Amino acid sequence: MMLSKTYGGCHCGNILVEIEFTRAPGTYNPRACDCDFCRKHGASYVSDPQGSLLVRIENERDSGKYRQGSGQAELLVCRNCGVLVGAFYSSDGRLYAAVNAKIMDGQVSFGAEQSVSPKQLTDGEKVGRWQDIWFSKVSLVHDDV
Ligand SMILES: [Zn+2]
């Protein structure tokens, strides 16, 4: 299995992500969520349940977590530069996440975006979907603690 590392982050560098995808980037179709929040950020999400995600936050005070919709997931936004980094959901001490495909460094060519509408799912269906398709190997590192 080929593991390629992909890097990204917010604009100012406060939040960095390091991702291990298990397939070629072109085989992932970023999911453009149609909720008002994600639409206004132009966000679309990539994740790989077999891959891994490391999120490094330099200054916790400058990272904002925002809840919207049913409030089950947290959206990580850099307060310093305003970039939406990704969505997180924790359950039973386990952290799941999907990353905004637009925050990758350099040329990462994902597949075509697909439109998704999680707001049409029930709360239980949403959680089940996140646990199926989001990263489940997620590490969150704070440099300032
Ligand atoms: Zn930033």
Side-chain angles (χ1 to χ4, degrees), residues 35-51:
C35 85
D36 291 343
F37 180 83
C38 293
R39 218 169 32 79
K40 290 186 180 196
H41 271 280
S44 61
Y45 297 92
V46 286
S47 56
D48 181 341
Q50 273 83 48

Side-chain angles (χ1 to χ4, degrees), residues 10-15 78 80-83:
C10 71
H11 185 254
C12 72
N14 183 41
I15 304 173
C78 178
N80 189 41
C81 68
V83 169

Side-chain angles (χ1 to χ4, degrees), residues 1-2 17 22 33 37 40-41 50 54 56 65-66 74-75 89 99 102-103 110 121 139:
M1 184 161 59
M2 182 198 74
V17 300
T22 55
C33 171
F37 180 83
K40 290 186 180 196
H41 271 280
Q50 273 83 48
L54 172 73
R56 184 178 285 275
K65 299 212 178 73
Y66 183 71
E74 283 188 324
L75 294 149
Y89 166 72
V99 177
K102 310 284 170 64
I103 67 159
F110 293 115
L121 302 175
S139 326

Side-chain angles (χ1 to χ4, degrees), residues 48-62:
D48 181 341
Q50 273 83 48
S52 68
L53 168 68
L54 172 73
V55 181
R56 184 178 285 275
I57 301 177
E58 196 172 310
N59 187 339
E60 177 70 18
R61 274 174 324 205
D62 282 339

Side-chain angles (χ1 to χ4, degrees), residues 1-7 19-31 45-52 104 107-112 114 132-135 137:
M1 184 161 59
M2 182 198 74
L3 286 178
S4 61
K5 277 203 178 171
T6 304
Y7 300 89
I19 301 171
E20 271 182 5
F21 287 113
T22 55
R23 310 192 314 260
T27 65
Y28 296 87
N29 297 97
R31 300 177 299 277
Y45 297 92
V46 286
S47 56
D48 181 341
Q50 273 83 48
S52 68
M104 306 305 163
Q107 295 171 328
V108 182
S109 307
F110 293 115
Q114 62 180 68
D132 280 349
I133 67 173
W134 282 13
F135 289 103
K137 271 185 259 168

